Amino acid sequence: MSDRARITRRGLFRGIGTAGLLAGCKPSERPPTTTEDGEQPPTAAGSAGALGPGPSPLEFTLNGQRQVAEVAPHVTLLAALREQLRVTGPKVVCDRGACGACTVLVDGVARNSCMMLAHDVHGAAVTTVEGLSQGGKLSVLQEAFIRHDALQCGFCTSGMLMSCQALLGRAQGQKLGREDVEAAIAGNLCRCGTYPNVVAAVLDAAKGSA
C-alpha cells in the first residue's frame, strides 16, 4: 500500500471533524476556496460596507447634533455613548438587556443600547435623557416625574424616562390609560418600586403635552 493510500486513525478523525465543521457552517461562514487560477476570492473584509477589524467611521445624530466618530465594530452603542462620546445618561446596570436602564430612542423607538452595536445606528437619530430638556428647561415629562416623586435612587430613571417618552411620541395626543404606561415600562426594572408614581407622572404629562 502506498503512502498516499494509507490512512491513519489520526488522519481519519481529522478529516471527519473538518467535514462536519464545514457541513454545519452557513455558506457565508465557510472558509473561502480557491479559484480556478489558484487565487483566493475576495473576502467580506474587502467588500463594500464591510467593517473591521479596526475602528470604522460612524456618523449619526445624537440629541439633535451630528456626531462623527471612529468606533470598532464590536463596540455597543451604550459603550460608545458613555466611553467615547461621554454621554452618561444611559446607565450600565445589567448590560444584557434585562433592566432597561440603558434605554435610548433610536428614530423615536425605545431600544436597549447595551444590546445594539454602535454601527447599527449609522445614519439614525439617537436621543438620550440629555436630549429631553431644551434650552436648560426640563421637558413636560421630566417635570411630571419630579412632581409625582417618580424617582428615588436614580439608576432606572433615565431609561424609564426614555421608555415613557417613546410612549408619548406614539400616542401623539391620544388618551392614554394606566395599562398603556404599564406596558411601555414593562422592560424597565425599578428596585425602589416607584412604578405607581411613574404611571401617575406619565398620565399627567400626557395631559400637559396633548
Side-chain angles (χ1 to χ4, degrees):
M1 181 180 294
S2 66
D3 291 340
R4 180 175 296 182
R6 186 180 299 115
I7 301 176
T8 65
R9 186 169 70 169
R10 177 179 294 178
L12 174 63
F13 282 105
R14 182 181 296 168
I16 293 174
T18 301
L21 177 62
L22 292 176
C25 291
K26 295 184 293 187
S28 61
E29 297 174 337
R30 294 175 186 170
T33 57
T34 57
T35 64
E36 293 181 358
D37 297 331
E39 298 180 353
Q40 292 277 342
T43 61
S47 61
L51 299 176
S56 299
L58 170 63
E59 182 176 343
F60 67 105
T61 301
L62 176 61
N63 297 328
Q65 300 294 320
R66 178 173 174 266
Q67 297 287 335
V68 179
E70 291 284 329
V71 182
H74 69 279
V75 173
T76 64
L77 176 58
L78 177 60
L81 289 173
R82 292 181 59 86
E83 298 170 16
Q84 291 187 234
L85 300 176
R86 302 302 180 186
V87 177
T88 57
K91 303 304 180 187
V92 182
V93 179
C94 74
D95 208 23
R96 57 188 178 89
C99 72
C102 68
T103 303
V104 301
L105 303 187
V106 179
D107 290 334
V109 179
R111 301 288 298 272
N112 290 325
S113 58
C114 73
M115 298 299 290
M116 299 184 68
L117 293 176
H119 282 277
D120 288 339
V121 302
H122 185 82
V126 176
T127 305
T128 67
V129 69
E130 289 90 345
L132 293 185
S133 59
Q134 298 294 327
K137 183 179 180 181
L138 296 179
S139 68
V140 172
L141 180 61
Q142 289 172 310
E143 292 282 7
F145 262 59
I146 295 172
R147 194 159 51 248
H148 290 271
D149 196 22
L151 61 160
Q152 288 189 32
C153 75
F155 277 99
C156 76
T157 305
S158 59
M160 194 79 76
L161 280 164
M162 301 317 294
S163 293
C164 296
Q165 185 63 44
L167 172 63
L168 293 176
R170 293 194 305 271
Q172 296 183 343
Q174 297 180 4
K175 185 176 180 180
L176 294 175
R178 175 176 297 273
E179 64 280 0
D180 298 313
V181 183
E182 291 174 348
I185 62 174
N188 296 84
L189 302 183
C190 174
R191 291 180 181 273
C192 301
T194 61
Y195 301 109
N197 296 0
V198 170
V199 172
V202 176
L203 294 180
D204 187 9
K207 297 175 184 177
S209 60

